Amino acid sequence: MYADLHIHSHYSDSTRSPKEIVKKAKELGIGLLCVSDHNTTAAYNELIPLCKANQIKLIRGAEISTSFEGKEFHVLAYDFDFENKEIIDICKQCDSVYAEIDLELIKKMSVDYKEISIKEFNSYNRNLKNGGWKGFDYLKSKSLVNNVPSFFKLVSDYHVQPKSSFPSIEYVINAIHKANGKAVIAHIGENMKNNLLEIVPRLKTLKNMGADGFECYYTTHTEETTNILVDFCQTNNMLITVGNDDHGGFNNRSNVIYEMGAIKVDFSKLNVKDIEILG
């Protein structure tokens, strides 16, 4: 059985609905999936019955934004209490950071581009089928961005700094545990450009902070990175997961395809002990 435990729906920044995700997973022979939307679990009211009807096993989860060593880092929260107030508040905090980035960018750009304005942006309704988020979709409608890197280049060029900040990674890990969930560090290889000199020393640091495992198999991880992560997790009896970070094509680049099926890993290579699997 193939698994993919890092997929996004249009409830965060993908182009695909839960129904389309399940259909695609079935076509690709993926028997176990998790939709880990950014800071929301909104997809699950649709997703649970869809997976059941299509005989696809499901792990419940979300991808939560955090701060680690002054940078944005993501934690995959699996099998936690979706009604936990602390997690809900963390997700709201993360959403507010992203909203501040959008607002400040539009405000600064409106000085240079007369075709955009804060008033128009505030009333703008994002088309979920486009993927992305409100700020990106608005600027794309004005032909001012065409992909994720182009948006964040503008964020950098305009020196956008949100007033709020993401919660620390240690705080989020502890909150996930208090919500009876498991905390897996997402795509550390991508975050650190597969630089083993950067990655290796941080594995123990993150483990000591309470991380339950690592997303070892990932779209952009090199074979070396994958092997280091798997070995570390096996040695320390930690969770081993796989994810393609599928956004329905929204985040694909010329040299990287973040799609279900881009890497296929059999369930036997994973370690998802103590995580409830539905179906």
Side-chain angles (χ1 to χ4, degrees):
M1 175 175 68
Y2 291 118
D4 193 330
L5 305 182
H6 189 166
I7 302 166
H8 294 276
S9 81
H10 66 199
Y11 284 101
S12 60
D13 54 350
S14 172
T15 65
R16 289 196 179 109
S17 67
K19 184 176 181 180
E20 290 167 329
I21 289 169
V22 170
K23 181 176 182 289
K24 185 74 172 177
K26 193 161 188 177
E27 289 172 357
L28 294 170
I30 296 170
L32 171 65
L33 60 80
C34 173
V35 168
S36 48
D37 277 331
H38 295 288
N39 308 303
T40 181
T41 59
Y44 278 86
N45 287 337
E46 297 175 48
L47 195 62
I48 290 173
L50 281 167
C51 284
K52 185 175 181 180
N54 286 275
Q55 293 82 50
I56 291 176
K57 297 181 185 299
L58 179 68
I59 289 175
R60 298 158 64 253
E63 186 174 21
I64 300 178
S65 306
T66 77
S67 177
F68 176 58
E69 297 182 342
K71 298 178 181 179
E72 183 178 344
F73 246 73
H74 294 167
V75 176
L76 294 159
Y78 292 122
D79 192 25
F80 64 96
D81 175 9
F82 281 9
E83 303 302 318
N84 181 271
K85 184 179 183 303
E86 190 170 12
I87 297 291
I88 292 170
D89 288 343
I90 286 170
C91 290
K92 288 179 180 177
Q93 178 182 346
C94 294
D95 283 344
S96 72
V97 175
Y98 292 125
E100 286 175 13
I101 291 171
D102 277 356
L103 201 60
E104 186 178 351
L105 178 60
I106 300 304
K107 183 179 179 181
K108 289 186 172 184
M109 289 184 66
S110 65
V111 175
D112 297 327
Y113 296 90
K114 301 307 179 185
E115 64 267 38
I116 67 177
S117 71
I118 289 292
K119 182 179 180 181
E120 184 183 49
F121 173 69
N122 285 336
S123 62
Y124 182 78
N125 291 315
R126 178 171 78 91
N127 183 346
L128 296 181
K129 293 303 295 178
N130 290 342
W133 54 94
K134 184 176 178 179
F136 178 92
D137 199 45
Y138 176 69
L139 291 177
K140 188 175 181 181
S141 74
K142 304 293 186 179
S143 300
L144 293 172
V145 299
N146 58 9
N147 55 31
V148 175
S150 66
F151 178 89
F152 285 104
K153 184 178 187 303
L154 288 172
V155 171
S156 176
D157 290 347
Y158 279 89
H159 308 289
V160 173
Q161 293 292 335
K163 296 176 184 177
S164 307
S165 59
F166 297 117
S168 74
I169 198 166
E170 189 168 18
Y171 175 74
V172 170
I173 289 170
N174 288 334
I176 292 168
H177 290 162
K178 285 191 284 184
N180 300 314
K182 300 293 183 183
V184 172
I185 308 302
H187 46 60
I188 190 171
E190 171 147 305
N191 281 53
M192 297 184 171
K193 304 185 189 307
N194 288 304
N195 183 342
L196 298 184
L197 294 177
E198 293 284 325
I199 295 169
V200 171
R202 286 162 177 80
L203 300 182
K204 188 174 181 180
T205 299
L206 290 162
K207 176 181 178 294
N208 290 340
M209 286 180 172
D212 296 296
F214 291 88
E215 187 175 40
C216 300
Y217 300 97
Y218 183 77
T219 312
T220 60
H221 282 181
T222 63
E223 186 176 353
E224 274 189 314
T225 295
T226 300
N227 290 340
I228 287 289
L229 291 172
V230 169
D231 182 65
F232 184 85
C233 289
Q234 289 177 339
T235 300
N236 292 280
N237 196 26
M238 299 176 76
L239 302 180
I240 297 171
T241 69
V242 56
N244 281 293
D245 213 351
D246 184 301
H247 286 69
F250 163 73
N251 61 333
N252 286 346
R253 301 173 192 175
S254 59
N255 59 335
V256 184
I257 304 297
Y258 297 90
E259 296 267 4
M260 280 186 280
I263 53 168
K264 280 190 171 182
V265 177
D266 191 79
F267 182 76
S268 62
K269 291 187 175 182
L270 307 182
N271 180 3
V272 291
K273 62 178 182 176
D274 302 325
I275 293 178
E276 182 181 12
I277 298 175
L278 304 179

